[in-house]
Amino acid sequence: MWITPEEVLLANALWVSERANPFFILQRRKGHGKGGGITGLLVGTLDVVLDSSARVAPYRILHQTGDSQLFWSIACGSSRKEITEHWEWLEANLLQTLSTFDNDDDITTFVKGKIQGIIAEENKGRQTQEDEDCGKFREAELKMRKLFGMPEEEKLVNYYSCSYWKGRVPRQGWLYLSVNHLCFYSFLLGKEVTLVVQWTDVTQLDKNDTLLFPESIHVNTRDTEHYFSMFLNINDTFKLMEQLANIAMRQLLDNESFSADHSLPKPCKTLRNVSALKRDLDARAKNERYRALFRLTQDERLDGHTDCTLWTPFAKMHVVGQMFVSNNYICFASREEDLCQLIIPLREVSIVEKADSSSVLPSPLSISTKNKMTFLFANLKDRDFLVQRISDFLQRTPDRLCGLTGQSVSHSNTKGRHKSRNSYESLMNIAALRHLIVLGRHYSSSLPTAKNSLLHIYQKDLPEDLGPKATKEKMKEESWNIHFFEFGRGVCMYRTSKTRDLVLKGIPESLRGELWLLFSGAQNEMAAYPGYYAELVEQAMGRCTLATEEIERDLHRSMPEHHAFQNEMGIAALRRVLTAYAARNPGIGYCQAMNIVTSVLLLYCTEEEAFWLLVALCERMLPDYYNTRVVGALVDQGVFEELTRECLPLLYEHMQDLGVISTISLSWFLTLFLSVMPFDSAVLLVDCFFYEGIKVIFQFADKCDFHSATSRYLDNVVNKQTVSPPIPHLHALLTSGDEPPPEIDIFELIKTSYEKFGSLRADVIEQMRFKQRLKVIQSLEDTAKRSVVRAVMTESAFTIEELEELYVLFKAKHIMSCYWGASSTAAERHDPSLPYLEQYRIDCGQFSQLFTTLAPWNCGLHTISLAARLFRLLDHNKDSLINFKEFITGLSELLLSNGIKSSMTWSQLYFTFRSYGKTKNPLEQELYHAIATVASLLLRIGEVGKKFTNNGSKKSDLQPLAGEVNPQPDKEDSSGEAGSAQSLVSKALAEAQLETPPQPTNGSDEEAKDDTSISSYSVVSTGSLQCEDIADDTVLIGCGGGVAGAGCGGDCRRGSAVDADWSISFEQVLASLLTEPALVNYFEKKHDIRNKMAVCKTQRAVERQISSSSDHELAHLT
């Protein structure tokens, strides 16, 4: 490529000149290409270890004038072909012009200006990308593509210098982390090491610190393990590897390929040697931590954060922490955990003003809300810029766009997640929505469950309880009222350690729904999208889908012991909420256990509140729990086992011996203990869960796992402070024995779990979740593979091991299409609703690649044409894609069935005849002569058939294909001759042991022209050959009764008419083939698919090796 001219003082140091003229010199780097000796080895090693710029450009062009010792580098190239093109352009366009100059300085100025103009012209279309990715990083990306044979679609994220342990010897080199691959390259004194690992193949990723591998990163796949060490910043590298592996697992789980997030805020300044993708991933990681910390929605984007202090009126002190600003919120988190946390939605902000600075309170900022609360921040580093950003976000807040009416318009759903607020303009306005709700048949604001919770509806007529339990409940309510007065109420409440203490003591039933909405973040989402639930209900109710059928089956199994769900009111409310969520998130739809959780939510919330709580649970607090494979629950189950092994090793070994960990714990996570504990006790655990998150479930599970495995421990956990009427626990009733076991107080159990396991942090849980996610998803992939193999075994003659290897190769092609582009999108190729063996599909190009490697016969340049014909034959639904079942069917037909009777035999013979025509191999010569003999026999059969037809025989059972011209029968036909010809054909068919051919059915013109049809009467003539398959030297039969060859030219061939009378059936071809033992042996020979699959596995490595080989090595390969 052309490069900006740079001065070069020592032109010949470590370089070899290959071409020269009075103005330019073409040079090759020592150590690249042929020769070089020990100097070349040393130079090549230095280029790799020291990461010099020459590692990308082994060739360069220098400009020099006269006797000047100063050179200018104007072009570089990664291959001889590239640099030669530049050299030839210089000779053709500049040499004559430069010879007219008299001054050397003018020559140099002209050359520099010309090269800079060329570069500017080339960069017009890609100026943005060039600005984002600096020159050195771009060189590294080009190097990665050259070394590993990657296409331009494969984007490099970052690269690091490190050592790769090959055996016990470390190899210093460079680790390249791209979106889909982990690559390593090392070249030390002639020893080259190349490694490529797909992220989708990674089963384990750890950071180790052992005596043998100090400060190393351990990467495991199903077959190999790799160690990398000697990183400059191992933590940064490992975090990036975690992110890329997570993206790959998401791709396996949801079939969603990686795409850059263009809505992320742009950095203030471009970081040197850091790619735009790396900045993208760093921003994503920050966004995820920010959203998880404050329970915000998935579309929230962190704009920035800064250190500051917050004045806390309840403590009369300034708390040190960080302020976070995003498009809809201002948040604060204290440096000390649980000291103070604050969330201020911008929709609630009324005034933002800068207060006067002082030595005591530098750079203060005051924010006031609509509910008369004022928050004072200080010690802000760049207060003016911060105020400007907040003002910009306030102007874009929907409330202000609507005149601060508090109204916004609902939005439609895409892939289970709502769109951003920018999509509101395309939806109905709020007045129309209200009218729809009033007139709607399914949901209305007048419904009892639209205004009150089910518990409130069924308890409002009960007499007031004045007992000790009711008194204690009143005391709890009073404690919360005092807390609200001191710390605020609603979304802008100060959240401190005192808040958590009150939650642990139990939330009063009258406040439970309100506080669940607050702590989960569902209140913010519900306030942002009013009317959304009502619209979903109207759209979804009345439709019959798989999800609605499953919902109907489970409605009456949802807390049947509770009186609220023993009548139509509670059942109807539950139906609406579940159906609305299934319509919102079709990727999840409905999963068992969602009904149990939702029924509990409806007891304490209205329908709309319960819906938004369910959204918060399924999409943020319990990610991937409620999908078809309950991946999230399995991941957390693995985390629970790991925590048990670390904290309670003896207990873990005992439970492993019993084999009960996975059996008893899955329902704990899916239902938040609601299905295994009495309701009054489990709901207190739900209180803690909404405030603390998943760590509460792990703490509680670790506390009670041993007892649950040995007795009915959880059945007897009681809440002695509940004021609700007792609700029978079905599990306890079904498993009760003769003697009632001792009761356990839920408050003591929660308190003990916090004391023993309260040190568990959210970041530690996320780290453990990542490790388990790799194991779980790869285990599910292995299970899917085994299911596919079992389903296909009965329809193919391959062994189990062969089918598993073929499945891996087939799926690899599908996954490659997801991130390297194809004729159709990944979503079109992957349908999770189909059986496993039909989910993944490949197109004709990918099939041709597999066919070329796995096919038993080599047809040279015609292999692609043969593969295309077979693909058309296997593509039954004509969608230009085939699934694994169809792929195995075609491969079995070629490799393991009676090959001579395959429908591909004639195409194979045709291409084999052309391939072996000039060969000197005796076996191939024998095949060539056998094909020629068969062709001669077929010509005679065809001529006999033509004569027979022209003599006017009666119409026989051999009906012509659609598209053939039916000849008129001649009245002077000789019946004896016809009978003789028919008997000869019948005899040949009998010798071939074929059944009587069935009557062909009339088809379309395209089907008649396709010679891959398995019809018994496929016509072997020019009409049966696809136009793209006919080369200039193809021999065509039936062109005017003669032969059209290459000598006629293309026009002669196109103008020749097809002799419709000349035709032979497939059975005639088959009978003729059976007369030649050489052909029979060739097609009946069994082929070992294992060797072919091994070649297919290494094919990618071979391509990389050739692409990175020197010219000298390529010459030897040739």
Side-chain angles (χ1 to χ4, degrees):
M1 61 181 178
W2 300 107
I3 59 176
T4 304
E6 296 180 355
E7 290 186 10
V8 178
L9 297 178
L10 299 175
N12 296 318
L14 307 181
W15 292 85
V16 178
S17 298
E18 295 195 340
R19 294 188 186 183
N21 58 44
F23 303 103
F24 303 103
I25 303 174
L26 190 154
Q27 294 185 329
R28 172 178 54 84
R29 183 75 167 178
K30 291 183 179 179
H32 184 85
K34 55 186 176 180
I38 187 66
T39 305
L41 292 178
L42 290 174
V43 173
T45 301
L46 288 175
D47 287 343
V48 172
V49 174
L50 299 181
D51 189 33
S52 67
S53 60
R55 74 197 191 285
V56 179
Y59 298 96
R60 70 179 182 181
I61 297 177
L62 301 180
H63 165 64
Q64 181 193 24
T65 57
D67 298 329
S68 173
Q69 297 300 315
L70 186 64
F71 297 82
W72 294 87
S73 176
I74 61 173
C76 64
S78 59
S79 65
R80 185 180 296 277
K81 179 181 178 182
E82 180 184 3
I83 204 68
T84 302
E85 290 177 355
H86 288 8
W87 178 264
E88 291 175 351
W89 185 91
L90 290 172
E91 288 185 331
N93 296 278
L94 290 188
L95 279 186
Q96 186 174 359
T97 303
L98 295 178
S99 62
T100 62
F101 285 88
D102 297 329
N103 191 321
D104 289 347
D105 292 338
D106 293 342
I107 293 176
T108 300
T109 302
F110 178 80
V111 171
K112 290 166 62 177
K114 190 69 174 178
I115 299 302
Q116 290 172 348
I118 294 174
I119 295 174
E121 188 68 24
E122 289 180 348
N123 290 343
K124 277 185 178 180
R126 56 184 184 186
Q127 188 64 42
T128 303
Q129 183 67 24
E130 291 289 339
D131 291 342
E132 289 184 353
D133 293 342
C134 66
K136 189 173 182 181
F137 183 87
R138 182 167 172 77
E139 288 181 0
E141 188 170 41
L142 292 174
K143 177 67 173 179
M144 179 200 72
R145 293 174 185 166
K146 172 179 176 290
L147 287 175
F148 308 107
M150 300 292 179
E152 290 189 4
E153 291 83 0
E154 185 68 8
K155 302 299 182 182
L156 178 65
V157 180
N158 211 352
Y159 63 104
Y160 303 91
S161 174
C162 69
S163 292
Y164 170 60
W165 291 81
K166 190 171 184 180
R168 295 188 177 182
V169 180
R171 300 296 184 95
Q172 186 67 26
W174 289 89
L175 179 70
Y176 298 89
L177 303 181
S178 68
V179 174
N180 304 294
H181 295 86
L182 177 153
C183 307
F184 178 83
Y185 178 77
S186 173
F187 180 84
L188 294 176
L189 300 178
K191 298 293 185 181
E192 188 178 45
V193 176
T194 304
L195 173 69
V196 177
V197 177
Q198 283 189 348
W199 290 115
T200 51
D201 293 335
V202 174
T203 58
Q204 186 178 353
L205 185 63
D206 295 312
K207 189 168 60 175
N208 294 338
D209 190 6
T210 61
L211 183 62
L212 184 60
F213 301 109
E215 284 289 314
S216 63
I217 295 177
H218 178 212
V219 181
N220 252 23
T221 64
R222 288 181 176 84
D223 305 319
T224 58
E225 59 180 358
H226 312 280
Y227 288 91
F228 303 91
S229 62
M230 302 294 290
F231 290 96
L232 185 63
N233 189 341
I234 191 172
N235 292 326
D236 179 66
T237 308
F238 185 70
K239 287 180 181 178
L240 179 58
M241 294 172 76
E242 277 188 329
Q243 281 184 284
L244 294 172
N246 258 327
I247 292 172
M249 294 304 105
R250 177 58 57 185
Q251 180 178 319
L252 289 177
L253 185 61
D254 294 340
N255 208 60
E256 294 180 0
S257 57
F258 175 82
S259 59
D261 192 344
H262 300 291
S263 64
L264 294 174
K266 298 296 181 184
C268 299
K269 60 180 180 178
T270 302
L271 300 177
R272 188 170 181 81
N273 297 338
V274 177
S275 69
L277 276 179
K278 178 65 167 60
R279 296 194 297 269
D280 185 335
L281 291 173
D282 289 343
R284 289 182 185 219
K286 290 180 180 179
N287 279 325
E288 289 173 2
R289 289 194 296 269
Y290 169 64
R291 291 192 294 258
L293 180 60
F294 299 104
R295 306 278 174 79
L296 302 179
T297 58
Q298 297 294 331
D299 58 355
E300 200 63 26
R301 297 288 185 270
L302 177 64
D303 187 70
H305 59 88
T306 182
D307 294 333
C308 67
T309 60
L310 172 66
W311 172 253
T312 53
F314 54 87
K316 302 295 188 288
M317 61 179 291
H318 290 277
V319 176
V320 180
Q322 282 189 323
M323 174 191 285
F324 301 84
V325 179
S326 61
N327 46 334
N328 295 300
Y329 298 93
I330 300 173
C331 303
F332 175 85
S334 61
R335 186 174 298 172
E336 183 181 347
E337 191 176 3
D338 290 336
L339 185 58
C340 181
Q341 192 182 85
L342 180 66
I343 300 174
I344 308 174
L346 292 182
R347 66 177 184 275
E348 297 291 332
V349 174
S350 58
I351 300 174
V352 177
E353 58 182 351
K354 295 181 287 187
D356 295 333
S357 298
S358 65
S359 57
V360 180
L361 199 64
S363 302
L365 178 66
S366 174
I367 299 177
S368 301
T369 62
K370 298 174 185 177
N371 58 356
K372 309 303 180 183
M373 293 184 69
T374 301
F375 305 96
L376 184 61
F377 299 90
N379 293 283
L380 295 165
K381 293 181 179 179
D382 196 347
R383 183 178 61 169
D384 294 337
F385 177 76
L386 178 63
V387 172
Q388 182 60 44
R389 293 300 295 164
I390 294 176
S391 300
D392 293 341
F393 286 129
L394 283 171
Q395 292 176 4
R396 296 198 293 265
T397 302
D399 284 352
R400 281 161 173 72
L401 294 176
C402 298
L404 296 177
T405 60
Q407 299 175 353
S408 60
V409 184
S410 62
H411 50 88
S412 60
N413 174 64
T414 301
K415 290 187 178 179
R417 294 183 175 89
H418 51 266
K419 296 180 180 178
S420 62
R421 292 187 175 91
N422 295 332
S423 63
Y424 291 166
E425 298 177 359
S426 62
L427 300 170
M428 63 181 66
N429 56 46
I430 193 66
L433 180 58
R434 284 177 175 172
H435 182 68
L436 175 65
I437 293 176
V438 171
L439 300 180
R441 296 179 295 106
H442 303 290
Y443 180 79
S444 170
S445 58
S446 60
L447 288 173
T449 52
K451 298 179 179 179
N452 298 295
S453 65
L454 288 174
L455 211 59
H456 180 269
I457 294 173
Y458 284 97
Q459 290 184 354
K460 63 180 181 180
D461 297 331
L462 296 177
E464 185 178 359
D465 187 0
L466 301 177
K469 291 184 178 181
T471 304
K472 197 160 188 176
E473 186 78 2
K474 291 291 184 182
M475 292 174 62
K476 286 184 183 179
E477 292 178 6
E478 188 60 29
S479 298
W480 276 99
N481 289 329
I482 295 173
H483 186 273
F484 292 148
F485 178 79
E486 187 176 358
F487 296 90
R489 187 168 187 171
V491 290
C492 298
M493 179 180 71
Y494 292 96
R495 308 180 193 195
T496 67
S497 56
K498 292 184 178 179
T499 310
R500 187 181 68 176
D501 293 339
L502 285 177
V503 172
L504 294 181
K505 294 177 182 178
I507 299 177
E509 290 188 350
S510 59
L511 298 174
R512 183 161 279 147
E514 175 189 345
L515 293 177
W516 282 0
L517 286 167
L518 176 64
F519 296 147
S520 66
Q523 182 172 340
N524 290 321
E525 202 163 7
M526 184 174 68
Y529 306 109
Y532 175 65
Y533 170 70
E535 181 187 4
L536 271 183
V537 171
E538 295 301 322
Q539 292 176 355
M541 292 298 292
R543 297 181 181 178
C544 183
T545 63
L546 179 62
T548 56
E549 292 177 0
E550 294 176 347
I551 289 171
E552 289 298 327
R553 285 198 299 267
D554 286 349
L555 283 176
H556 295 278
R557 305 174 188 171
S558 309
M559 294 189 67
E561 67 275 15
H562 199 287
H563 55 275
F565 297 98
Q566 295 172 358
N567 57 75
E568 185 55 31
M569 180 186 295
I571 295 296
L574 181 61
R575 178 187 294 112
R576 286 191 291 268
V577 173
L578 292 175
T579 305
Y581 186 78
R584 166 192 169 83
N585 196 338
I588 293 178
Y590 170 77
C591 175
Q592 286 189 344
M594 287 174 64
N595 60 321
I596 297 175
V597 175
T598 307
S599 60
V600 174
L601 300 179
L602 283 169
L603 290 176
Y604 297 100
C605 307
T606 64
E607 281 189 40
E608 186 175 10
E609 293 170 345
F611 170 79
W612 287 113
L613 279 172
L614 185 62
V615 170
L617 276 173
C618 296
E619 297 176 10
R620 297 196 300 275
M621 302 188 73
L622 298 176
D624 298 323
Y625 262 56
Y626 301 106
N627 53 32
T628 54
R629 296 190 280 183
V630 293
V631 172
L634 294 175
V635 168
D636 283 349
Q637 192 179 44
V639 173
F640 165 59
E641 292 188 27
E642 188 174 348
L643 287 171
T644 305
R645 183 174 63 251
E646 293 179 359
C647 302
L648 305 167
L650 296 178
L651 173 60
Y652 174 78
E653 292 179 4
H654 178 65
M655 296 187 69
Q656 283 291 96
D657 294 338
L658 295 176
V660 295
I661 293 183
S662 59
T663 304
I664 65 175
S665 59
L666 185 60
S667 61
W668 296 358
F669 295 101
L670 283 174
T671 65
L672 303 177
F673 284 88
L674 289 168
S675 64
V676 295
M677 285 172 58
F679 169 75
D680 296 328
S681 301
V683 77
L684 293 176
L685 194 61
V686 177
D687 292 343
C688 301
F689 167 76
F690 277 121
Y691 185 79
E692 295 272 23
I694 193 63
K695 62 172 289 187
V696 174
I697 305 301
F698 288 124
Q699 292 172 187
F700 194 81
D702 276 327
K703 176 67 184 75
C704 60
D705 54 1
F706 175 70
H707 299 285
S708 300
T710 56
S711 67
R712 292 179 290 106
Y713 182 78
L714 292 176
D715 294 337
N716 304 288
V717 177
V718 297
N719 178 8
K720 299 179 180 179
Q721 299 180 12
T722 181
V723 294
S724 299
I727 302 173
H729 183 45
L730 290 183
H731 187 267
L733 294 176
L734 294 173
T735 58
S736 59
D738 297 333
E739 296 182 4
E743 295 181 344
I744 302 98
D745 187 17
I746 181 62
F747 292 99
E748 289 297 324
L749 201 55
I750 293 177
K751 181 181 178 182
T752 306
S753 68
Y754 268 86
E755 290 175 351
K756 290 187 176 182
F757 309 105
S759 60
L760 188 61
R761 301 197 316 272
D763 59 335
V764 175
I765 293 176
E766 287 303 317
Q767 180 69 30
M768 299 172 74
R769 273 179 165 177
F770 165 73
K771 294 179 182 178
Q772 296 299 326
R773 190 176 296 115
L774 290 179
K775 294 180 182 179
V776 168
I777 294 181
Q778 297 292 11
S779 175
L780 291 174
E781 291 298 310
D782 292 340
T783 302
K785 179 174 66 175
R786 289 191 294 268
S787 300
V788 169
V789 169
R790 285 196 299 267
V792 179
M793 275 184 61
T794 57
E795 302 180 15
S796 73
F798 292 113
T799 64
I800 295 178
E801 292 78 12
E802 291 170 348
L803 286 173
E804 288 181 348
E805 292 295 332
L806 288 171
Y807 178 81
V808 170
L809 294 175
F810 186 88
K811 187 176 179 182
K813 287 296 180 184
H814 166 86
I815 292 177
M816 194 175 297
S817 70
C818 295
Y819 51 72
W820 282 353
S823 58
S824 58
T825 63
E828 293 174 350
R829 294 162 175 267
H830 180 71
D831 186 357
S833 63
L834 295 174
Y836 282 127
L837 75 163
E838 299 179 10
Q839 285 187 10
Y840 299 106
R841 297 182 287 175
I842 60 175
D843 59 20
C844 185
Q846 294 167 322
F847 174 79
S848 297
Q849 296 173 10
L850 289 175
F851 179 84
T852 303
T853 309
L854 300 175
W857 309 306
N858 181 17
C859 300
L861 299 176
H862 308 291
T863 304
I864 301 300
S865 299
L866 187 61
R869 296 184 179 192
L870 180 57
F871 182 86
R872 291 196 298 269
L873 178 66
L874 298 176
D875 185 15
H876 299 297
N877 56 358
K878 306 303 178 185
D879 61 350
S880 300
L881 296 170
I882 62 171
N883 57 42
F884 182 70
K885 183 178 180 180
E886 294 168 336
F887 172 74
I888 289 298
T889 301
L891 205 59
S892 300
E893 179 75 12
L894 285 177
L895 293 172
L896 304 175
S897 66
N898 195 347
I900 195 71
K901 298 181 182 179
S902 170
S903 58
M904 297 298 295
T905 302
W906 176 252
S907 297
Q908 173 57 30
L909 271 177
Y910 167 69
F911 292 129
T912 304
F913 182 80
R914 299 186 59 181
S915 301
Y916 293 162
K918 299 179 181 180
T919 182
K920 296 182 180 179
N921 188 304
L923 294 178
E924 294 177 356
Q925 277 289 325
E926 184 181 3
L927 283 174
Y928 178 77
H929 290 300
I931 295 173
T933 302
V934 171
S936 300
L937 178 60
L938 291 175
L939 283 172
R940 291 195 294 270
I941 294 176
E943 291 298 328
V944 171
K946 178 180 178 180
K947 182 178 180 181
F948 168 74
T949 304
N950 290 335
N951 286 337
S953 65
K954 291 183 179 180
K955 199 170 185 180
S956 66
D957 292 338
L958 303 179
Q959 299 291 339
L961 288 175
E964 285 191 59
V965 180
N966 292 327
Q968 294 296 329
D970 194 337
K971 293 182 180 180
E972 298 178 359
D973 176 33
S974 172
S975 58
E977 185 177 351
S980 176
Q982 182 65 29
S983 63
L984 290 175
V985 174
S986 300
K987 182 178 180 181
L989 294 177
E991 291 176 354
Q993 297 181 353
L994 294 176
E995 296 179 358
T996 303
Q999 291 290 343
T1001 57
N1002 293 330
S1004 63
D1005 294 339
E1006 294 297 327
E1007 292 172 348
K1009 294 177 182 179
D1010 191 356
D1011 62 321
T1012 63
S1013 172
I1014 60 174
S1015 170
S1016 298
Y1017 292 92
S1018 297
V1019 178
V1020 184
S1021 65
T1022 52
S1024 65
L1025 293 177
Q1026 299 288 336
C1027 294
E1028 65 269 19
D1029 296 334
I1030 303 177
D1032 291 337
D1033 59 346
T1034 303
V1035 178
L1036 297 182
I1037 301 172
C1039 298
V1043 176
C1048 296
D1051 295 334
C1052 175
R1053 184 181 69 241
R1054 295 185 183 91
S1056 301
V1058 177
D1059 189 349
D1061 296 338
W1062 196 100
S1063 63
I1064 52 177
S1065 69
F1066 181 78
E1067 282 73 11
Q1068 290 172 325
V1069 174
L1070 188 56
S1072 303
L1073 293 177
L1074 291 174
T1075 62
E1076 293 294 329
L1079 291 177
V1080 174
N1081 295 334
Y1082 178 77
F1083 283 105
E1084 298 295 338
K1085 180 182 178 181
K1086 298 296 182 182
H1087 298 271
D1088 187 5
I1089 189 65
R1090 294 179 183 273
N1091 295 333
K1092 297 284 186 179
M1093 290 189 292
V1095 171
C1096 194
K1097 280 185 176 181
T1098 58
Q1099 186 178 30
R1100 183 68 186 157
V1102 170
E1103 291 173 359
R1104 286 192 296 270
Q1105 182 179 354
I1106 292 178
S1107 67
S1108 61
S1109 298
S1110 64
D1111 298 339
H1112 180 67
E1113 294 168 333
L1114 289 175
H1116 279 288
L1117 286 174
T1118 305

